[in-house]
Coordinates of all heavy atoms in Angstrom, one line a residue:
M1 N 0.9 -1.2 0.0 CA 0.0 0.0 0.0 C 0.9 1.2 0.0 O 1.8 1.4 0.8 CB -0.9 0.0 1.2 CG -1.8 1.1 1.3 SD -2.6 1.2 2.9 CE -4.3 1.0 2.4
S2 N 0.6 2.1 -0.9 CA 1.4 3.3 -1.1 C 0.9 4.4 -0.1 O -0.3 4.7 0.1 CB 1.3 3.8 -2.5 OG 1.9 5.1 -2.6
T3 N 1.8 5.1 0.6 CA 1.5 6.1 1.5 C 1.6 7.5 0.9 O 1.2 8.5 1.5 CB 2.3 6.0 2.8 OG1 3.7 6.2 2.4 CG2 2.0 4.7 3.5
G4 N 2.3 7.6 -0.3 CA 2.5 8.9 -0.9 C 1.2 9.4 -1.6 O 0.3 8.6 -1.9
R5 N 1.1 10.7 -1.7 CA -0.1 11.3 -2.3 C 0.2 11.5 -3.7 O 1.2 12.0 -4.2 CB -0.3 12.7 -1.6 CG -1.5 13.3 -2.2 CD -1.8 14.6 -1.3 NE -2.9 15.3 -1.9 CZ -2.8 16.2 -2.9 NH1 -1.6 16.6 -3.3 NH2 -3.8 16.9 -3.3
D6 N -0.8 11.0 -4.6 CA -0.7 11.2 -6.0 C -1.8 12.1 -6.4 O -2.9 11.7 -6.5 CB -0.9 9.8 -6.7 CG -0.7 9.9 -8.2 OD1 -0.2 11.0 -8.7 OD2 -1.3 9.0 -8.9
P7 N -1.4 13.4 -6.7 CA -2.5 14.4 -7.0 C -3.1 14.2 -8.4 O -4.2 14.7 -8.7 CB -1.8 15.7 -6.9 CG -0.4 15.4 -7.2 CD -0.1 14.0 -6.7
G8 N -2.5 13.4 -9.2 CA -3.0 13.2 -10.6 C -3.2 14.5 -11.3 O -2.3 15.4 -11.4
L9 N -4.3 14.7 -11.9 CA -4.6 16.0 -12.6 C -5.3 17.0 -11.8 O -5.6 18.1 -12.4 CB -5.4 15.6 -13.9 CG -4.8 14.7 -14.9 CD1 -5.8 14.4 -16.0 CD2 -3.6 15.4 -15.5
Q10 N -5.4 16.8 -10.5 CA -6.2 17.8 -9.7 C -5.5 19.2 -9.7 O -6.3 20.2 -9.9 CB -6.3 17.2 -8.3 CG -7.1 18.1 -7.4 CD -6.3 19.1 -6.6 OE1 -5.1 18.9 -6.4 NE2 -6.9 20.2 -6.3
P11 N -4.2 19.3 -9.6 CA -3.7 20.7 -9.7 C -4.0 21.4 -11.0 O -4.3 22.6 -11.0 CB -2.1 20.5 -9.5 CG -2.0 19.2 -8.8 CD -3.2 18.3 -9.3
E12 N -3.9 20.7 -12.1 CA -4.2 21.3 -13.4 C -5.7 21.7 -13.5 O -6.0 22.8 -14.0 CB -3.9 20.3 -14.5 CG -4.2 20.9 -15.9 CD -3.8 20.0 -17.1 OE1 -3.5 18.8 -16.8 OE2 -3.9 20.4 -18.2
R13 N -6.6 20.8 -13.0 CA -8.0 21.2 -12.9 C -8.3 22.4 -12.1 O -9.1 23.3 -12.5 CB -8.8 20.0 -12.5 CG -9.0 18.8 -13.4 CD -10.1 17.9 -13.0 NE -9.9 17.4 -11.6 CZ -9.3 16.3 -11.3 NH1 -8.7 15.5 -12.2 NH2 -9.2 15.9 -10.0
T14 N -7.6 22.5 -11.0 CA -7.7 23.7 -10.1 C -7.3 24.9 -10.9 O -7.9 26.0 -10.8 CB -7.0 23.5 -8.8 OG1 -7.4 22.3 -8.2 CG2 -7.1 24.7 -7.9
R15 N -6.1 24.9 -11.5 CA -5.6 26.1 -12.2 C -6.6 26.4 -13.4 O -6.9 27.6 -13.5 CB -4.2 25.8 -12.9 CG -3.1 25.9 -11.9 CD -1.8 25.9 -12.5 NE -1.5 24.7 -13.4 CZ -1.0 23.6 -12.9 NH1 -0.8 23.5 -11.6 NH2 -0.9 22.6 -13.7
L16 N -7.1 25.4 -14.1 CA -8.1 25.8 -15.1 C -9.4 26.4 -14.6 O -9.9 27.3 -15.2 CB -8.4 24.5 -15.9 CG -7.3 24.0 -16.8 CD1 -7.6 22.7 -17.4 CD2 -6.9 25.0 -17.9
A17 N -9.8 25.9 -13.4 CA -11.0 26.5 -12.8 C -10.8 27.9 -12.4 O -11.7 28.8 -12.6 CB -11.4 25.7 -11.6
W18 N -9.6 28.3 -11.9 CA -9.3 29.7 -11.5 C -9.2 30.5 -12.8 O -9.6 31.7 -12.8 CB -8.0 29.8 -10.7 CG -8.3 29.4 -9.3 CD1 -7.9 28.2 -8.7 CD2 -8.9 30.1 -8.3 NE1 -8.3 28.2 -7.3 CE2 -8.9 29.4 -7.1 CE3 -9.5 31.4 -8.3 CZ2 -9.5 29.8 -5.9 CZ3 -10.1 31.9 -7.1 CH2 -10.1 31.1 -5.9
R19 N -8.6 30.0 -13.9 CA -8.6 30.7 -15.1 C -10.0 31.0 -15.7 O -10.2 32.1 -16.2 CB -7.8 30.0 -16.1 CG -6.3 30.0 -15.8 CD -5.5 29.2 -16.9 NE -4.1 29.1 -16.5 CZ -3.2 28.4 -17.1 NH1 -3.6 27.6 -18.2 NH2 -2.0 28.3 -16.7
R20 N -10.8 30.0 -15.6 CA -12.2 30.2 -16.1 C -12.9 31.3 -15.2 O -13.7 32.1 -15.8 CB -13.0 28.9 -16.0 CG -12.8 28.0 -17.1 CD -13.8 26.8 -17.1 NE -13.9 26.2 -15.9 CZ -13.2 25.1 -15.5 NH1 -12.3 24.6 -16.3 NH2 -13.4 24.5 -14.3
T21 N -12.7 31.3 -14.0 CA -13.3 32.3 -13.1 C -12.8 33.7 -13.5 O -13.6 34.6 -13.6 CB -12.9 32.0 -11.6 OG1 -13.4 30.7 -11.3 CG2 -13.5 33.1 -10.7
L22 N -11.5 33.8 -13.7 CA -11.0 35.1 -14.1 C -11.5 35.5 -15.5 O -11.8 36.7 -15.7 CB -9.5 35.0 -14.1 CG -8.7 36.4 -14.3 CD1 -9.2 37.4 -13.3 CD2 -7.3 36.2 -14.2
L23 N -11.6 34.6 -16.4 CA -12.1 34.9 -17.8 C -13.5 35.4 -17.7 O -13.9 36.4 -18.3 CB -12.0 33.7 -18.7 CG -12.5 33.9 -20.1 CD1 -11.7 35.0 -20.8 CD2 -12.5 32.7 -20.9
T24 N -14.3 34.7 -16.9 CA -15.7 35.1 -16.7 C -15.9 36.5 -16.1 O -16.7 37.3 -16.6 CB -16.5 34.1 -15.8 OG1 -16.3 32.8 -16.4 CG2 -17.9 34.4 -15.6
V25 N -15.1 36.8 -15.1 CA -15.1 38.1 -14.5 C -14.7 39.2 -15.4 O -15.2 40.3 -15.5 CB -14.3 38.1 -13.2 CG1 -14.1 39.5 -12.6 CG2 -14.9 37.3 -12.1
T26 N -13.7 38.9 -16.3 CA -13.2 39.8 -17.3 C -14.3 40.1 -18.3 O -14.5 41.3 -18.7 CB -11.9 39.3 -18.0 OG1 -11.0 39.1 -17.0 CG2 -11.4 40.3 -19.0
V27 N -15.0 39.1 -18.7 CA -16.1 39.3 -19.7 C -17.2 40.1 -19.1 O -17.7 41.1 -19.8 CB -16.6 38.0 -20.3 CG1 -17.9 38.1 -21.0 CG2 -15.6 37.3 -21.1
V28 N -17.6 39.9 -17.9 CA -18.6 40.6 -17.2 C -18.2 42.1 -17.0 O -19.0 43.0 -17.2 CB -18.9 40.0 -15.8 CG1 -19.8 40.9 -14.9 CG2 -19.6 38.6 -16.0
T29 N -16.9 42.3 -16.7 CA -16.4 43.7 -16.6 C -16.5 44.4 -17.9 O -16.9 45.5 -18.0 CB -15.0 43.6 -16.1 OG1 -15.0 43.0 -14.8 CG2 -14.4 45.1 -15.9
A30 N -16.1 43.7 -19.0 CA -16.2 44.4 -20.3 C -17.6 44.7 -20.7 O -17.9 45.8 -21.2 CB -15.5 43.5 -21.4
L31 N -18.5 43.8 -20.4 CA -19.9 44.1 -20.7 C -20.5 45.2 -19.8 O -21.3 46.1 -20.3 CB -20.8 42.8 -20.5 CG -20.5 41.7 -21.5 CD1 -21.3 40.4 -21.1 CD2 -20.9 42.1 -22.9
A32 N -20.1 45.3 -18.6 CA -20.6 46.3 -17.7 C -20.0 47.7 -18.2 O -20.7 48.7 -18.2 CB -20.1 46.1 -16.3
V33 N -18.8 47.8 -18.6 CA -18.2 49.0 -19.1 C -18.9 49.4 -20.4 O -19.2 50.6 -20.6 CB -16.7 48.9 -19.2 CG1 -16.1 50.0 -20.0 CG2 -16.0 48.7 -17.9
R34 N -19.2 48.5 -21.2 CA -19.9 48.8 -22.5 C -21.3 49.3 -22.2 O -21.7 50.3 -22.8 CB -19.9 47.6 -23.4 CG -20.5 47.8 -24.7 CD -20.5 46.6 -25.6 NE -21.0 46.8 -26.9 CZ -22.3 46.5 -27.2 NH1 -23.1 45.9 -26.4 NH2 -22.7 46.8 -28.4
L35 N -22.0 48.7 -21.3 CA -23.3 49.1 -20.9 C -23.3 50.5 -20.3 O -24.2 51.2 -20.5 CB -23.9 48.1 -20.0 CG -25.4 48.3 -19.5 CD1 -26.3 48.2 -20.8 CD2 -25.8 47.3 -18.5
A36 N -22.3 50.8 -19.6 CA -22.2 52.1 -18.9 C -21.6 53.2 -19.7 O -21.5 54.3 -19.2 CB -21.5 51.9 -17.6
S37 N -21.2 52.9 -20.9 CA -20.5 53.9 -21.7 C -21.5 54.9 -22.5 O -21.2 55.4 -23.5 CB -19.6 53.2 -22.8 OG -20.4 52.5 -23.7
T38 N -22.6 55.1 -21.9 CA -23.6 56.1 -22.5 C -23.3 57.5 -22.2 O -23.9 58.4 -22.7 CB -25.0 55.7 -22.0 OG1 -25.1 55.9 -20.6 CG2 -25.4 54.4 -22.4
G39 N -22.3 57.7 -21.3 CA -22.0 59.1 -20.9 C -22.6 59.6 -19.6 O -22.4 60.7 -19.2
D40 N -23.5 58.8 -19.0 CA -24.1 59.1 -17.8 C -23.1 59.0 -16.6 O -22.4 58.0 -16.5 CB -25.3 58.2 -17.6 CG -26.1 58.5 -16.3 OD1 -26.1 59.7 -15.9 OD2 -26.7 57.6 -15.8
P41 N -23.0 60.0 -15.8 CA -22.1 59.9 -14.6 C -22.4 58.7 -13.7 O -21.5 58.1 -13.2 CB -22.2 61.2 -13.9 CG -22.9 62.1 -14.8 CD -23.7 61.3 -15.8
T42 N -23.7 58.4 -13.5 CA -24.0 57.3 -12.6 C -23.5 56.0 -13.2 O -22.9 55.1 -12.5 CB -25.5 57.2 -12.4 OG1 -26.0 58.4 -11.9 CG2 -25.9 56.1 -11.4
G43 N -23.7 55.8 -14.5 CA -23.2 54.6 -15.2 C -21.6 54.5 -15.1 O -21.1 53.4 -15.0
A44 N -21.0 55.7 -15.3 CA -19.6 55.7 -15.2 C -19.1 55.3 -13.8 O -18.0 54.6 -13.7 CB -19.1 57.1 -15.6
M45 N -19.7 55.8 -12.8 CA -19.3 55.4 -11.4 C -19.5 53.9 -11.2 O -18.7 53.2 -10.6 CB -20.1 56.2 -10.4 CG -19.6 57.7 -10.4 SD -20.3 58.7 -9.1 CE -21.6 57.9 -8.4
L46 N -20.7 53.4 -11.6 CA -20.9 51.9 -11.5 C -19.9 51.1 -12.2 O -19.4 50.1 -11.7 CB -22.3 51.6 -12.0 CG -23.4 52.0 -11.1 CD1 -24.8 51.7 -11.7 CD2 -23.4 51.4 -9.7
A47 N -19.5 51.6 -13.5 CA -18.5 50.8 -14.2 C -17.1 50.9 -13.6 O -16.4 50.0 -13.6 CB -18.4 51.4 -15.7
G48 N -16.9 52.1 -12.9 CA -15.6 52.2 -12.2 C -15.6 51.3 -11.0 O -14.5 50.7 -10.7
G49 N -16.7 51.1 -10.3 CA -16.8 50.1 -9.3 C -16.5 48.7 -9.8 O -15.8 47.9 -9.1
V50 N -17.1 48.4 -10.9 CA -16.9 47.1 -11.5 C -15.4 46.8 -11.9 O -14.9 45.8 -11.6 CB -17.8 46.9 -12.8 CG1 -17.4 45.6 -13.6 CG2 -19.3 46.8 -12.4
V51 N -14.8 47.9 -12.4 CA -13.4 47.7 -12.7 C -12.5 47.5 -11.5 O -11.6 46.8 -11.5 CB -12.9 48.9 -13.6 CG1 -11.4 49.0 -13.8 CG2 -13.6 48.9 -15.0
L52 N -12.9 48.3 -10.4 CA -12.1 48.1 -9.2 C -12.3 46.6 -8.6 O -11.3 46.0 -8.2 CB -12.6 49.1 -8.1 CG -12.2 50.6 -8.4 CD1 -12.8 51.4 -7.3 CD2 -10.6 50.6 -8.3
V53 N -13.5 46.1 -8.6 CA -13.7 44.7 -8.2 C -12.9 43.8 -9.1 O -12.4 42.8 -8.6 CB -15.2 44.4 -8.1 CG1 -15.5 42.9 -7.8 CG2 -15.9 45.3 -7.0
W54 N -13.0 44.0 -10.4 CA -12.2 43.2 -11.3 C -10.8 43.2 -11.0 O -10.1 42.1 -11.0 CB -12.5 43.7 -12.7 CG -11.6 42.9 -13.7 CD1 -11.8 41.7 -14.2 CD2 -10.4 43.4 -14.3 NE1 -10.8 41.4 -15.1 CE2 -10.0 42.4 -15.2 CE3 -9.7 44.6 -14.2 CZ2 -8.8 42.6 -16.0 CZ3 -8.6 44.7 -15.0 CH2 -8.1 43.7 -15.8
G55 N -10.2 44.3 -10.7 CA -8.8 44.4 -10.3 C -8.5 43.6 -9.1 O -7.5 42.9 -9.0
A56 N -9.3 43.7 -8.1 CA -9.1 42.9 -6.9 C -9.2 41.4 -7.2 O -8.4 40.6 -6.7 CB -10.2 43.3 -5.8
L57 N -10.2 41.0 -7.9 CA -10.3 39.6 -8.2 C -9.1 39.1 -9.1 O -8.7 38.0 -9.0 CB -11.7 39.3 -9.0 CG -12.9 39.4 -8.0 CD1 -14.1 39.2 -8.8 CD2 -12.8 38.4 -6.9
L58 N -8.7 40.0 -10.0 CA -7.5 39.6 -10.8 C -6.3 39.4 -9.9 O -5.6 38.4 -10.0 CB -7.2 40.8 -11.7 CG -5.9 40.6 -12.6 CD1 -6.1 39.5 -13.6 CD2 -5.6 41.9 -13.4
A59 N -6.1 40.2 -8.9 CA -5.0 40.0 -8.0 C -5.1 38.7 -7.2 O -4.2 38.1 -6.8 CB -4.9 41.2 -7.0
L60 N -6.4 38.3 -6.8 CA -6.6 37.1 -6.1 C -6.5 35.9 -7.0 O -6.0 34.8 -6.5 CB -8.0 37.1 -5.5 CG -8.2 38.0 -4.3 CD1 -9.7 38.1 -3.9 CD2 -7.4 37.5 -3.1
C61 N -7.0 35.9 -8.2 CA -7.1 34.7 -9.0 C -5.9 34.4 -9.8 O -5.6 33.3 -10.1 CB -8.3 34.8 -10.0 SG -9.9 34.9 -9.2
W62 N -5.1 35.4 -10.2 CA -4.0 35.2 -11.1 C -2.9 34.3 -10.6 O -2.5 33.4 -11.3 CB -3.4 36.6 -11.4 CG -2.3 36.5 -12.5 CD1 -1.0 36.4 -12.3 CD2 -2.5 36.4 -13.9 NE1 -0.3 36.3 -13.4 CE2 -1.2 36.2 -14.5 CE3 -3.6 36.3 -14.7 CZ2 -1.1 36.1 -15.8 CZ3 -3.4 36.2 -16.1 CH2 -2.2 36.1 -16.6
P63 N -2.5 34.5 -9.3 CA -1.5 33.5 -8.8 C -2.0 32.1 -8.8 O -1.3 31.1 -9.0 CB -1.2 34.0 -7.4 CG -1.6 35.4 -7.4 CD -2.8 35.5 -8.4
R64 N -3.3 31.9 -8.5 CA -3.8 30.6 -8.4 C -4.0 30.0 -9.8 O -3.8 28.8 -10.0 CB -5.2 30.6 -7.7 CG -5.2 31.1 -6.3 CD -4.4 30.2 -5.3 NE -4.8 28.9 -5.1 CZ -5.7 28.5 -4.2 NH1 -6.2 29.4 -3.4 NH2 -6.1 27.3 -4.1
G65 N -4.4 30.8 -10.8 CA -4.6 30.3 -12.1 C -3.4 30.0 -12.9 O -3.4 29.2 -13.8
T66 N -2.3 30.6 -12.5 CA -1.0 30.4 -13.2 C -0.2 29.4 -12.4 O 0.9 28.9 -13.0 CB -0.2 31.7 -13.4 OG1 0.0 32.3 -12.1 CG2 -0.9 32.7 -14.3
G67 N -0.6 29.0 -11.3 CA 0.2 28.1 -10.5 C 1.4 28.7 -9.8 O 2.3 27.9 -9.3
T68 N 1.5 30.0 -9.8 CA 2.6 30.7 -9.2 C 2.4 31.0 -7.7 O 3.2 31.4 -7.0 CB 3.0 31.9 -9.9 OG1 1.9 32.8 -9.9 CG2 3.5 31.6 -11.3
G69 N 1.1 30.9 -7.3 CA 0.7 31.2 -5.9 C 0.9 30.0 -5.0 O 1.1 28.9 -5.4
P70 N 0.6 30.3 -3.7 CA 0.8 29.2 -2.8 C -0.3 28.2 -3.0 O -1.5 28.5 -3.3 CB 0.7 29.9 -1.4 CG -0.1 31.2 -1.7 CD 0.3 31.6 -3.1
A71 N -0.1 27.0 -2.7 CA -1.1 25.9 -2.8 C -2.2 26.1 -1.8 O -3.3 25.8 -2.0 CB -0.5 24.5 -2.6
R72 N -1.8 26.6 -0.6 CA -2.8 26.8 0.5 C -2.8 28.3 0.8 O -1.7 28.9 1.0 CB -2.5 26.0 1.6 CG -2.6 24.5 1.4 CD -4.0 24.0 1.5 NE -4.0 22.6 1.3 CZ -4.9 22.0 0.6 NH1 -5.8 22.7 -0.1 NH2 -4.9 20.7 0.5
T73 N -3.9 28.9 1.0 CA -3.9 30.3 1.4 C -4.7 30.5 2.7 O -5.2 31.6 3.0 CB -4.6 31.2 0.3 OG1 -5.9 30.6 0.1 CG2 -3.8 31.2 -1.0
G74 N -4.8 29.5 3.4 CA -5.5 29.6 4.7 C -7.0 29.7 4.6 O -7.7 30.1 5.5
G75 N -7.6 29.4 3.4 CA -9.0 29.5 3.2 C -9.5 30.9 3.0 O -10.7 31.1 3.1
R76 N -8.7 31.8 2.6 CA -9.1 33.2 2.5 C -9.5 33.6 1.1 O -10.3 34.5 0.9 CB -8.0 34.2 2.9 CG -7.6 34.1 4.4 CD -6.5 35.1 4.7 NE -5.4 34.9 3.8 CZ -4.2 34.3 4.1 NH1 -4.1 33.9 5.4 NH2 -3.2 34.2 3.3
T77 N -9.0 32.9 0.1 CA -9.2 33.3 -1.3 C -10.6 33.0 -1.7 O -11.3 33.9 -2.3 CB -8.2 32.5 -2.2 OG1 -6.9 32.8 -1.8 CG2 -8.4 33.0 -3.7
L78 N -11.2 31.9 -1.5 CA -12.5 31.6 -1.9 C -13.6 32.5 -1.4 O -14.4 33.0 -2.1 CB -12.8 30.1 -1.6 CG -14.1 29.6 -2.3 CD1 -14.0 29.7 -3.8 CD2 -14.3 28.1 -2.0
P79 N -13.6 32.8 -0.1 CA -14.6 33.8 0.4 C -14.5 35.2 -0.2 O -15.5 35.8 -0.5 CB -14.4 33.8 1.9 CG -13.7 32.6 2.3 CD -12.9 32.2 1.0
L80 N -13.2 35.6 -0.5 CA -13.0 36.9 -1.1 C -13.5 36.9 -2.5 O -14.1 37.9 -3.0 CB -11.6 37.3 -1.0 CG -11.0 37.7 0.4 CD1 -9.5 37.9 0.4 CD2 -11.8 38.9 0.9
V81 N -13.3 35.8 -3.3 CA -13.7 35.7 -4.7 C -15.3 35.7 -4.7 O -15.9 36.3 -5.5 CB -13.1 34.5 -5.4 CG1 -13.7 34.2 -6.7 CG2 -11.6 34.7 -5.6
T82 N -15.9 35.0 -3.7 CA -17.3 34.9 -3.6 C -17.9 36.3 -3.3 O -18.9 36.7 -4.0 CB -17.7 33.9 -2.5 OG1 -17.1 32.6 -2.8 CG2 -19.2 33.8 -2.4
A83 N -17.3 37.0 -2.4 CA -17.8 38.4 -2.1 C -17.6 39.3 -3.3 O -18.5 40.1 -3.6 CB -17.0 38.9 -0.9
G84 N -16.5 39.2 -4.0 CA -16.3 39.9 -5.2 C -17.3 39.6 -6.3 O -17.9 40.5 -7.0
T85 N -17.7 38.4 -6.5 CA -18.7 38.0 -7.4 C -20.0 38.5 -7.1 O -20.8 38.9 -7.9 CB -18.7 36.4 -7.5 OG1 -17.4 35.9 -7.8 CG2 -19.7 36.0 -8.6
V86 N -20.4 38.5 -5.8 CA -21.7 39.0 -5.3 C -21.7 40.5 -5.6 O -22.7 41.1 -6.1 CB -21.9 38.7 -3.8 CG1 -23.1 39.5 -3.3 CG2 -22.1 37.2 -3.7
V87 N -20.6 41.2 -5.3 CA -20.6 42.7 -5.6 C -20.7 43.0 -7.1 O -21.5 43.9 -7.5 CB -19.3 43.3 -5.0 CG1 -19.1 44.7 -5.5 CG2 -19.3 43.3 -3.5
L88 N -20.1 42.2 -7.9 CA -20.2 42.3 -9.4 C -21.6 42.1 -9.8 O -22.2 42.8 -10.7 CB -19.3 41.4 -10.1 CG -17.8 41.8 -10.3 CD1 -17.0 40.7 -11.0 CD2 -17.7 43.1 -11.0
A89 N -22.3 41.1 -9.2 CA -23.7 40.8 -9.6 C -24.6 42.0 -9.2 O -25.4 42.4 -10.0 CB -24.2 39.6 -8.9
L90 N -24.3 42.5 -8.0 CA -25.1 43.7 -7.6 C -24.9 44.9 -8.4 O -25.8 45.6 -8.8 CB -24.9 44.0 -6.1 CG -25.4 43.0 -5.1 CD1 -24.9 43.3 -3.7 CD2 -26.8 42.8 -5.1
L91 N -23.6 45.2 -8.8 CA -23.4 46.3 -9.6 C -24.0 46.1 -11.0 O -24.5 47.0 -11.7 CB -21.9 46.5 -9.8 CG -21.2 47.1 -8.5 CD1 -19.7 47.1 -8.7 CD2 -21.7 48.5 -8.3
G92 N -24.0 44.8 -11.5 CA -24.6 44.5 -12.8 C -26.1 44.8 -12.8 O -26.7 45.3 -13.7
V93 N -26.8 44.4 -11.7 CA -28.2 44.7 -11.6 C -28.4 46.2 -11.6 O -29.4 46.7 -12.2 CB -28.7 44.0 -10.3 CG1 -30.1 44.5 -9.9 CG2 -28.7 42.5 -10.4
L94 N -27.6 46.9 -10.9 CA -27.8 48.4 -10.8 C -27.6 49.0 -12.2 O -28.3 49.9 -12.6 CB -26.8 49.0 -9.8 CG -27.1 48.8 -8.4 CD1 -26.0 49.3 -7.5 CD2 -28.4 49.4 -8.0
L95 N -26.6 48.5 -13.0 CA -26.4 49.0 -14.3 C -27.6 48.6 -15.2 O -28.0 49.5 -16.0 CB -25.1 48.3 -14.9 CG -23.8 48.9 -14.5 CD1 -22.6 48.1 -15.0 CD2 -23.7 50.4 -15.1
V96 N -28.2 47.5 -15.1 CA -29.3 47.1 -15.9 C -30.5 48.0 -15.5 O -31.2 48.5 -16.4 CB -29.7 45.6 -15.8 CG1 -31.0 45.3 -16.4 CG2 -28.6 44.8 -16.4
L97 N -30.8 48.1 -14.2 CA -31.9 49.0 -13.8 C -31.7 50.4 -14.2 O -32.6 51.1 -14.6 CB -32.0 48.9 -12.2 CG -32.5 47.6 -11.7 CD1 -32.5 47.6 -10.2 CD2 -33.9 47.3 -12.2
R98 N -30.4 50.9 -14.2 CA -30.1 52.3 -14.6 C -30.5 52.4 -16.1 O -31.0 53.4 -16.5 CB -28.7 52.6 -14.4 CG -28.4 54.1 -14.7 CD -26.9 54.3 -15.0 NE -26.3 53.5 -16.0 CZ -26.4 53.8 -17.3 NH1 -27.0 54.8 -17.7 NH2 -25.8 53.0 -18.2
G99 N -30.2 51.4 -16.9 CA -30.5 51.4 -18.3 C -32.0 51.3 -18.6 O -32.5 51.8 -19.6
L100 N -32.8 50.8 -17.6 CA -34.2 50.7 -17.8 C -34.9 52.0 -17.4 O -36.1 52.2 -17.8 CB -34.8 49.5 -17.0 CG -34.3 48.1 -17.4 CD1 -34.9 47.1 -16.5 CD2 -34.7 47.8 -18.9
W101 N -34.3 52.8 -16.6 CA -35.0 54.0 -16.2 C -35.1 55.0 -17.3 O -34.4 55.4 -18.0 CB -34.3 54.7 -15.0 CG -34.4 53.9 -13.7 CD1 -35.5 53.1 -13.4 CD2 -33.5 53.8 -12.6 NE1 -35.3 52.5 -12.2 CE2 -34.1 52.9 -11.7 CE3 -32.3 54.4 -12.4 CZ2 -33.5 52.6 -10.5 CZ3 -31.7 54.1 -11.2 CH2 -32.3 53.2 -10.2

């Protein structure tokens, strides 16, 4: 019986999952900026908030997606990414509602 750990493809799947998360957030950011580019100051402020959240998520996800970050982060990364995703969703709803007014 082997006592060594064989991670198999799990590290690669994890890196790919972080890359998909970052790609999704980037696309949402681009769509939010496009939606807010009507010249309205409120839309510009909301788009600025989206870009700030995107930058924070980029800083969190990039090391994990490229495999250059630590394997363990003490469980802090996932809650922060979740909070950032919720903030992006709320800002997106505000942008859509602003477009409907």
Side-chain angles (χ1 to χ4, degrees):
M1 179 187 244
S2 173
T3 59
R5 182 173 174 270
D6 180 20
L9 294 176
Q10 187 270 331
E12 182 179 3
R13 286 194 306 267
T14 300
R15 281 193 303 274
L16 291 173
W18 283 105
R19 287 179 187 173
R20 280 191 307 270
T21 300
L22 189 55
L23 178 62
T24 303
V25 170
T26 302
V27 169
V28 168
T29 301
L31 290 174
V33 169
R34 183 174 182 263
L35 183 63
S37 65
T38 60
D40 183 28
T42 306
M45 288 186 348
L46 287 173
V50 169
V51 170
L52 288 175
V53 172
W54 172 78
L57 290 176
L58 177 68
L60 287 171
C61 295
W62 187 262
R64 301 294 298 269
T66 58
T68 59
R72 299 276 184 225
T73 58
R76 295 180 307 254
T77 304
L78 191 57
L80 290 173
V81 170
T82 303
T85 303
V86 169
V87 169
L88 279 178
L90 292 175
L91 288 172
V93 167
L94 289 174
L95 280 170
V96 169
L97 289 177
R98 185 200 58 82
L100 295 176
W101 289 331

